[in-house]
Each structure stands twice: as C-alpha cells, then as structure tokens.
C-alpha cells in the first residue's frame, strides 16, 4: 500500500498531470462563460435580425407512431438548442485558436532570440594555450 501511495504521489507531482488538471478546470469555467455569451448576448442580437425569434424555443414536433397519453409532453426536435450549441462551439474554438496562435508566436519569438544571440567565442586550441603559457613564463623571467 505504501508503494502505491508513493507512486501516486509521483504521478500527481508530475508537471503534465497538474497542467492538465488546471486546463480542465479552467476549460470548464470558460465553457460556462462562452455558453452565457452565446445564450445571453449573441443569440438575442441574432434574433433581432430574424424577427425576434427565440432560438431556444425553435423546435419541430415529431409524429408519434403509437398511442400516447393526452397529458404527455410532445416529442420534439429542438434544433434551436443545437444552433446555440454550434455557435457556442465556434466561439470556444475561435478563442482557443487565438490563444494557441498567440502562444506559438511567443514561442517562435523566443526561439528567434536564442538563434540571434551570438555564439560564445571558441575555446583556444591546446597549441594556443601552450604558447600563452610560454609567453607568460618569458614575461615573468624578464621582469625578475
């Protein structure tokens, strides 16, 4: 059991797992924001141009092929909710695309800065090091 707990701690402490968890939580919160944007802001504006049609109430009654009680809810195809979901998806995917594009641009500029930095001067060869030692020794002998 101790080994299992230790392995689980190692798994959780890996950066990828924590990053994924944060991404899922933020994605869920962002999804509610885009759903509200679609349902409460965009769809009413779109309905203005369509004569005040409420998309959430758009549906088609489907026929029934068997006897149904009179108080039963009608079987409907709610395509208005589907249209809202498609618009919500398009907004969410557009925002994710813009975020990924911005991150890629930032990564590319960081890579360019790394490439533009001049390489460090080359190390002197063994022969150059030896000649420098001889020169220094000769200087020291003259000054004495």
């Amino acid at each position: 059991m101790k080994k299992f707990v230790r392995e689980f701690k190692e798994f959780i402490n890996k950066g990828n797992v924590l990053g994924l968890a944060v991404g899922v939580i933020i994605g869920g919160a962002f999804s509610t924001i885009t759903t509200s944007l679609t349902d409460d802001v965009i769809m009413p504006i779109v309905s203005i141009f369509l004569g005040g049609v409420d998309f959430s109430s758009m549906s088609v009654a489907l026929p029934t092929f068997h006897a149904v009680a009179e108080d039963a809810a009608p079987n409907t195809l709610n395509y208005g909710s589907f249209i809202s979901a498609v618009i919500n998806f398009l907004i969410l995917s557009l925002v994710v695309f813009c975020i990924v594009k911005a991150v890629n641009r930032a990564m590319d500029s960081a890579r360019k800065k790394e490439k533009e930095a001049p390489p460090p001067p080359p190390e002197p060869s063994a022969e150059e090091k030896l000649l420098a030692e001889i020169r220094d020794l000769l200087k020291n002998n003259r000054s004495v």
Side-chain angles (χ1 to χ4, degrees):
M1 185 65 175
K2 289 181 181 180
K3 182 180 177 184
F4 177 79
V5 171
R6 181 173 34 87
E7 288 177 358
F8 182 70
K9 284 181 182 178
E10 289 174 7
F11 173 75
I12 290 297
N13 288 329
K14 287 184 180 176
N16 294 341
V17 174
L18 294 175
L20 180 63
V22 169
V24 167
I25 292 168
I26 291 174
F30 190 72
S31 175
T32 58
I33 291 170
T34 56
T35 301
S36 175
L37 175 68
T38 303
D39 294 341
D40 301 331
V41 177
I42 293 175
M43 295 313 278
I45 293 171
V46 170
S47 70
I48 290 171
F49 296 106
L50 297 177
V53 176
D54 180 18
F55 276 92
S56 61
S57 65
M58 295 176 96
S59 62
V60 173
L62 298 175
T64 56
F65 297 114
H66 55 81
V68 179
E70 289 182 26
D71 60 344
N75 189 15
T76 60
L77 180 69
N78 301 320
Y79 65 90
S81 297
F82 177 72
I83 291 171
S84 294
V86 168
I87 292 173
N88 187 23
F89 170 76
L90 293 174
I91 292 170
L92 188 60
S93 58
L94 176 69
V95 170
V96 169
F97 171 75
C98 291
I99 290 171
V100 168
K101 190 171 181 170
V103 168
N104 286 341
R105 189 177 304 139
M107 297 286 280
D108 288 343
S109 67
R111 286 186 192 121
K112 285 181 183 177
K113 286 181 183 177
E114 287 177 5
K115 288 180 181 178
E116 290 175 1
E123 283 272 323
S125 67
E127 185 178 277
E128 290 172 334
K129 289 180 185 177
L130 183 61
L131 288 172
E133 276 184 47
I134 293 171
R135 181 195 65 215
D136 294 342
L137 286 172
L138 287 173
K139 277 184 185 178
N140 289 339
N141 283 341
R142 285 188 186 165
S143 62
V144 175

